[in-house]
Amino acid sequence: MTSLLFDGHIFTPGKVVCIGRNYAEHIKELGNEVPDDMVVFNKPASSIGNALLAFHEEPLHFETELCLLIRDGHYVGIAVGLDLTKREQQSQLKAKGLPWERAKAFEGSALFSEFIPLQGNISDYSFTLHIDGELTQQGDPSLMLYKPDVIFNELERFMPLQDNDILMTGTPKGVGQVIMGAEFCLRLYKKQEPVIEQIWKGQ
């Protein structure tokens, strides 16, 4: 199991709770319908990797997300991450009304930068993805259909969140296929000032 860093200290993550279809423009680009309720799926801790895979039985697609670490019943840390997806398989599963886990929960399908202490309001934070220097994705809580506090309260109704669980809050428009050798640069900003930079290369 991959360990992660929070404030310079190693921790063992719990489950990864993901929110799907949380940005209107992303829903539009994939041709999906706006859901009546919050879309939730899980990735097990075994899905967390440290390499950006371009292929796992089929070409993989990237989704950049704002990620939150949970302890003592609230958000304590913040990071940026990638939700890797088998898009072809996901489309087939959705067409049959089946769960997405085969396309979302495979080994190496979740990547995270280090987590830093969450200070102030989550709305102060934003993120970007540049691929080979070109801005590809950018997002912040103002663009989310379900804000982080709403997500937490809704999840607590049916799935208690435990220490070291991670929340992936959804992806904005701009998703696409991971290309072998491409450089992915993820940045987290607080009030437009960069606080985290994470670089991976497709392999």
Side-chain angles (χ1 to χ4, degrees):
M1 182 182 299
T2 300
S3 296
L4 298 174
L5 283 177
F6 171 48
D7 199 20
H9 299 283
I10 295 173
F11 74 95
T12 300
K15 62 182 175 290
V16 181
V17 183
C18 306
I19 307 303
R21 302 186 189 179
N22 202 21
Y23 286 77
E25 290 299 313
H26 174 59
I27 295 172
K28 183 178 178 181
E29 75 176 343
L30 292 187
N32 293 322
E33 295 182 359
V34 177
D36 293 330
D37 295 309
M38 192 171 74
V39 175
V40 181
F41 62 95
N42 287 340
K43 291 174 180 274
S46 60
S47 71
I48 300 172
N50 52 27
L52 176 54
L53 302 177
F55 191 90
H56 189 289
E57 298 180 338
E58 69 176 70
L60 300 181
H61 284 223
F62 61 85
E63 301 182 1
T64 311
E65 311 206 8
L66 185 71
C67 305
L68 297 163
L69 176 64
I70 296 159
R71 287 183 183 172
D72 299 323
H74 60 275
Y75 301 129
V76 297
I78 190 165
V80 281
L82 290 176
D83 168 16
L84 300 182
T85 303
K86 297 179 181 179
R87 188 72 70 202
E88 182 177 344
Q89 187 174 50
Q90 184 191 31
S91 296
Q92 293 170 354
L93 292 168
K94 287 194 296 185
K96 296 177 181 179
L98 296 173
W100 300 350
E101 274 74 9
R102 288 181 179 273
K104 287 280 195 179
F106 55 92
E107 186 176 5
S109 64
L111 300 179
F112 301 100
S113 71
E114 67 173 314
F115 284 80
I116 60 173
L118 175 60
Q119 298 177 332
N121 296 320
I122 298 177
S123 59
D124 291 337
Y125 292 86
S126 60
F127 62 94
T128 59
L129 166 67
H130 288 77
I131 300 179
D132 290 335
E134 180 178 349
L135 179 62
T136 306
Q137 288 191 279
Q138 56 184 342
D140 63 72
S142 73
L143 300 173
M144 296 177 184
L145 301 179
Y146 297 93
K147 312 303 186 198
D149 287 346
V150 173
I151 294 171
F152 191 97
N153 292 334
E154 177 66 17
L155 290 174
E156 283 285 281
R157 292 177 54 218
F158 68 93
M159 183 174 57
L161 297 169
Q162 301 172 314
D163 284 357
N164 295 330
D165 283 352
I166 295 170
L167 174 67
M168 301 189 80
T169 57
T171 193
K173 68 177 181 179
V175 302
Q177 184 177 328
V178 179
I179 303 301
M180 189 84 68
E183 182 178 89
F184 282 60
C185 180
L186 283 67
R187 293 192 183 97
L188 178 70
Y189 304 85
K190 183 179 182 184
K191 295 181 177 180
Q192 285 73 58
E193 293 294 325
V195 290
I196 291 177
E197 180 175 284
Q198 175 69 50
I199 295 175
W200 286 292
K201 282 197 173 184
Q203 59 181 268

